[in-house]
Amino acid sequence: IYRSADQGVTFSQKVALIGGGSLARSTPHEVTVSREAPDTLYLAAAEGLFRTTTAGDRWFRLPLPAKDVLSVSVHPKNSQILLAAVISDAQNGRGKILKSLTGGTSWAEVFTAPAGEQLQGTIIQRRRETPTIVTTLAHDPLQPEVVLAGTNQGTLLGSGDGGIRWTTLFSVREGITGIKFSTTVPDLLFIRLASGRLLRSADGGRSADQVLLGREPGASFDAPLGTAQDGSAVHAVAFLRSAAADQERVLAGTENGLLKSEDGGMNWAPLPLPPTGGTTHIPVRTLAESADGTLWAGSGSVISISKDGGLTWRSSEAPLRRTLRFVLTDPVRAERLYAFFEP
């Protein structure tokens, strides 16, 4: 975990744990920053859930009744309200959703995923229970009590009361790995699937169409994989905060580069990125936008920066020669940037 206070020119490592220890070897699943309290970050990792209120200078391990935390979402209007997707320590390993009203110091279980079943065997087939895991959580920034959750079995869950009661919105044939809400257009969101396919919903997740970037939208979920113009997987989606509400701009990072939409994800066009290591196709695995509109794209161990909406890019020196997991920006301070790397 590294932080820059000068928009990526220099970085310093921020892994110290309160009480001793370090996060240097942690395996990050997801990281989020509170818009209401920009110095407060939450890191969901295989080793647990960690919080900092000092912009990373010191981290604190939050007490949870589970170790592996896959996702964490902060209430858009109250940084003390959290939802965490965890894997139960019980033998069945089912997914659970926990809620905290105290910034993570105490928790209540609000959802336990039902058991799934799978046929096994060739001659004699038996049904065997398979664990259902909640893989991702997201609050709607425009409707803070609306929360969506996705599972490894392909079920999209929805709650309209802050995560207390949950209903199934729809199911697809592969796991859901990411949910990204628009920050300006009500009910608009993207859902990323395990294969890299992308779904677009304009009604808050009640229904969705597969996005075939560069082709006509509206294909069924069973359509052949064709997530980008060249068929590559989508790794990251970012709604640009600097965009006007009537012209929503979206970026999609794919296995072979970067795409941009000016109409909320209906039509897409490729954007250039600087070559890396002599290659022309660069997998873009993480995207972010600073408060001043500066764009960031993480490709391997390289951080790319654009000051003109993605038309031109330059490479910023990354602090490590390891694979970037996330690039995260401060929602208020344009000069502050975080880089999270694979262990």
Side-chain angles (χ1 to χ4, degrees):
I1 307 171
Y2 287 78
R3 187 185 74 200
S4 173
D6 51 16
Q7 213 166 49
V9 177
T10 59
F11 285 87
S12 57
Q13 193 175 31
K14 300 293 179 182
V15 294
L17 280 171
I18 295 175
S22 168
L23 285 173
R25 295 186 179 275
S26 64
T27 303
H29 292 315
E30 189 173 277
V31 62
T32 186
V33 60
S34 169
R35 292 183 178 276
E36 294 298 302
D39 287 345
T40 300
L41 281 74
Y42 293 91
L43 174 65
E47 296 76 17
L49 181 62
F50 302 88
R51 180 187 68 197
T52 176
T53 57
T54 57
D57 288 330
R58 292 291 185 271
W59 293 84
F60 173 73
R61 184 193 299 271
L62 294 170
L64 270 81
K67 182 179 180 181
D68 197 349
V69 184
L70 299 181
S71 181
V72 60
S73 186
V74 184
H75 191 284
K77 300 296 183 182
N78 187 339
S79 63
Q80 293 296 299
I81 300 177
L82 311 174
L83 289 172
V86 305
I87 299 178
S88 170
D89 290 333
Q91 185 175 4
N92 61 17
R94 292 185 188 178
K96 296 179 181 292
I97 299 176
L98 309 178
K99 183 170 183 175
S100 175
L101 303 177
T102 60
T105 58
S106 61
W107 297 86
E109 184 179 320
V110 292
F111 179 80
T112 299
E117 286 189 341
Q118 189 177 51
L119 287 174
Q120 292 189 340
T122 54
I123 299 175
I124 300 175
Q125 290 192 326
R126 295 182 175 89
R127 291 187 179 274
R128 182 177 179 180
E129 180 178 314
T130 59
T132 299
I133 298 169
V134 179
T135 52
T136 183
L137 287 164
H139 281 85
D140 184 341
L142 302 179
Q143 303 175 84
E145 297 306 312
V146 173
V147 193
L148 296 185
T151 76
N152 65 328
Q153 304 288 353
T155 301
L156 184 70
L157 305 166
S159 173
D161 56 8
I164 302 302
R165 292 181 293 271
W166 295 85
T167 59
T168 296
L169 299 179
F170 63 76
S171 295
V172 291
R173 295 185 178 181
E174 58 181 291
I176 295 172
T177 58
I179 300 169
K180 180 70 70 172
F181 277 99
S182 168
T183 58
T184 56
V185 179
D187 294 328
L188 178 62
L189 66 135
F190 288 94
I191 301 160
R192 185 162 43 86
L193 304 182
S195 66
R197 289 195 291 179
L198 196 64
L199 308 181
R200 180 184 185 273
S201 174
D203 57 9
R206 290 180 289 276
S207 65
D209 293 319
Q210 183 178 333
V211 179
L212 299 179
L213 305 183
R215 309 180 195 176
E216 291 297 319
S220 70
F221 297 139
D222 297 323
L225 176 61
T227 53
Q229 290 172 326
D230 54 7
S232 62
V234 175
H235 297 299
V237 174
F239 286 95
L240 305 187
R241 294 189 297 269
S242 60
D246 59 348
Q247 192 179 24
E248 183 80 355
R249 291 192 298 153
V250 193
L251 295 185
T254 79
E255 186 65 23
N256 288 311
L258 188 61
L259 296 168
K260 179 180 178 180
S261 172
E262 297 280 359
D263 56 6
M266 298 299 291
N267 297 283
W268 299 82
L271 283 176
L273 276 178
T276 303
T279 63
T280 55
H281 296 293
I282 308 170
V284 178
R285 300 189 178 277
T286 178
L287 295 165
E289 182 189 25
S290 296
D292 64 353
T294 300
L295 302 182
W296 303 88
S299 306
S301 62
V302 175
I303 302 175
S304 296
I305 178 173
S306 175
K307 293 283 190 178
D308 56 8
L311 296 178
T312 60
W313 297 80
R314 63 175 176 83
S315 296
S316 177
E317 188 69 26
L320 282 182
R321 291 298 178 187
R322 292 183 181 175
T323 301
L324 276 161
R325 186 71 176 88
F326 309 108
V327 173
L328 184 71
T329 56
D330 188 294
V332 177
R333 300 174 181 87
E335 69 278 4
R336 184 180 287 176
L337 178 74
Y338 301 89
F340 295 75
F341 292 83
E342 296 285 0

